[in-house]
Amino acid sequence: MTKKLTTNEIGTLWTQNLQAGMSIQVLKYFLETVEDENIKEIIDQAFQVSNDVYEQTQHYLEAGDLPIPVGFTEDDVNLEAPKLFSDALLLQFVENMGKAGLLAYSVSLSSSVTQEVRSFYSNILIDTTKFFNSAVTTSISKGIFTSSPQIEIEKEVEFVKGKKYLSPFHKRSLNAVEMTHLFENIKSNAVGELLCTGFAQTTNSKKVQTFMIKGRDTSQKHIKLFTQQFNESNIHPPMGSSAYVTQSTIAPFTNKLIVFLISVLTSTGQGNYSTASSASLRYDLVLLYQKLAIETGLYAKDGLDLMIKNQWLEEPPQAVNRTKLFDLIKE
């Protein structure tokens, strides 16, 4: 690599190296416990993409003489642990992973300057798109895909005639954009709820268990609030029932990994709420998302505090502290 990496590139490459290292260990366990061969193929695709991201980001960081995250290793996963999640939940997790990857790699591509780095992100976006589409297609073919509601749409184009359209006091029916965000947030919270449930019953730490139970309860609360919005418009979103947690109490992952994983998902949820708030045209929905974003942010802080206390949180690359350098100068 001939060009020095920019600050944006350093930040995204470092972050994605850390997250890809975590994903590799998670997907290794999924490959060991999945029973459906078609779903196993999708998980393997996701594993290959994560492995490529890990190797390439490490290459660029090393070429730039930059610190490599300690991250996660085979010591953070117990491949002999019994099956904890149903195959349907594994597939939903990979689908969510694909969505998050498409967003993250798009942002990274748009903020990169170096030709090699832009080519890398462009190729990873293609590979991520492939396994995401495969996940959705497989889920539909097996009848376990949770689809958004189907509604009758008015045929004529209309323009907003007054502020009543935005009013929280005269609630109109949800529009298609608002339903999209409500439904997607229900789906992501449903996955989060089950992951937290599984991690709560397998961790050996009371504090980590308390953190996971709080995450489960928060997800349940948010699902209920979002579903209520559909019910008030006489729309009932379909919900999947094939995703579940087994009765295993043997931990497949270390506490460090599961707290980090849930923290990453929580940060993604905060971003989803901000996007939904901006896209919604009913003030009550805007206020709901802002309120839940604050609640999610406080939960994310609990995770950060837990990681800091246990010295699990790595510092991203940062600028040289020149004040310290100045202090080294003696009279």
Side-chain angles (χ1 to χ4, degrees), residues 156-205:
E156 297 181 1
V157 175
E158 293 189 10
F159 292 87
V160 177
K161 297 180 176 61
K163 293 183 178 180
K164 186 176 180 180
Y165 188 85
L166 312 175
S167 174
F169 304 109
H170 303 280
K171 293 183 181 180
R172 55 167 171 77
S173 295
L174 297 167
N175 63 41
V177 174
E178 291 162 346
M179 280 188 278
T180 297
H181 288 286
L182 286 167
F183 179 72
E184 289 301 321
N185 282 313
I186 288 175
K187 284 185 69 174
S188 60
N189 271 287
V191 173
E193 175 195 353
L194 292 174
L195 289 176
C196 284
T197 299
F199 295 153
Q201 75 184 36
T202 55
T203 180
N204 60 0
S205 166

Side-chain angles (χ1 to χ4, degrees), residues 205-229:
S205 166
K206 192 63 181 177
K207 290 184 178 179
V208 172
Q209 184 182 63
T210 299
F211 174 70
M212 293 300 168
I213 291 174
K214 183 176 180 180
R216 179 203 64 187
D217 294 345
T218 300
S219 290
Q220 289 176 343
K221 173 186 173 182
H222 291 197
I223 291 170
K224 183 177 180 180
L225 289 170
F226 295 145
T227 302
Q228 181 181 339
Q229 300 300 322

